[in-house]
Amino acid sequence: MPGYNKHRLFNYIIFIVIVFLFYLENAIHPDIGRLLAICLGFYIGTEFVTPDLDTNSTAYKRWGNLKILILPYKWTFKHRQSSHNILYGAIVRILYISIIILVFYYLIFKSLSTGLDISPVYGIIFLFGIIIANALHVILDNIF
Ligand SMILES: [Zn+2]
């Protein structure tokens, strides 16, 4: 089973290769906002919101004091089972963390309106970055 650093190395190498190939083929002409959104999503999906939140992993420990918020997730999902489903696992993690963020946001601001005028496209691209990073994690787990 690959460790945390092996997952990170694998993810970043594959991500750079994919971006480079798209760039060579002139297939992408992203504006800086979209590029930042996918990079940020990929980073979060590689470092923090990984399939290994289901165990006492380095990714789990990286949450620091906030890891208490991840405990219910960790208790609910057994290691390397549904949390390591290539699509469903990432979607469940995204929903789980989104609910936590929304609850905190609501407790702080007493409203769910963001007041921000950001295109939902950036949010979708950001989530896509997390899903790609999580999929690469599962692929590497299945190779080893
Ligand atoms: Zn794993």
Side-chain angles (χ1 to χ4, degrees), residues 38-94:
I38 190 108
C39 287
L40 184 63
F42 194 84
Y43 171 76
I44 299 283
T46 298
E47 304 285 340
F48 296 99
V49 185
T50 82
D52 285 347
L53 288 182
D54 60 7
T55 187
N56 221 8
S57 62
T58 306
Y60 169 73
K61 290 173 187 155
R62 285 196 80 185
W63 281 77
N65 291 334
L66 293 177
K67 70 183 172 203
I68 195 167
L69 300 172
I70 306 298
L71 268 179
Y73 178 88
K74 198 174 144 215
W75 289 332
T76 305
F77 296 97
K78 295 213 182 312
H79 186 45
R80 293 189 119 201
Q81 293 190 357
S82 62
S83 62
H84 278 63
N85 180 290
I86 202 159
L87 185 61
Y88 160 84
I91 290 171
V92 168
R93 272 184 297 285
I94 288 168

Side-chain angles (χ1 to χ4, degrees), residues 79-142:
H79 186 45
R80 293 189 119 201
Q81 293 190 357
S82 62
S83 62
H84 278 63
N85 180 290
I86 202 159
L87 185 61
Y88 160 84
I91 290 171
V92 168
R93 272 184 297 285
I94 288 168
L95 286 174
Y96 179 83
I97 289 167
S98 297
I99 289 168
I100 291 173
I101 291 170
L102 286 176
V103 167
F104 273 97
Y105 188 92
Y106 185 78
L107 290 175
I108 292 168
F109 298 106
K110 303 289 180 219
S111 160
L112 288 178
S113 168
T114 64
L116 296 174
D117 193 21
I118 297 176
S119 165
V121 170
Y122 295 114
I124 292 167
I125 292 171
F126 171 77
L127 294 178
F128 190 62
I130 294 177
I131 291 169
I132 295 171
N134 280 214
L136 289 175
H137 178 109
V138 173
I139 288 167
L140 189 64
D141 273 352
N142 285 322

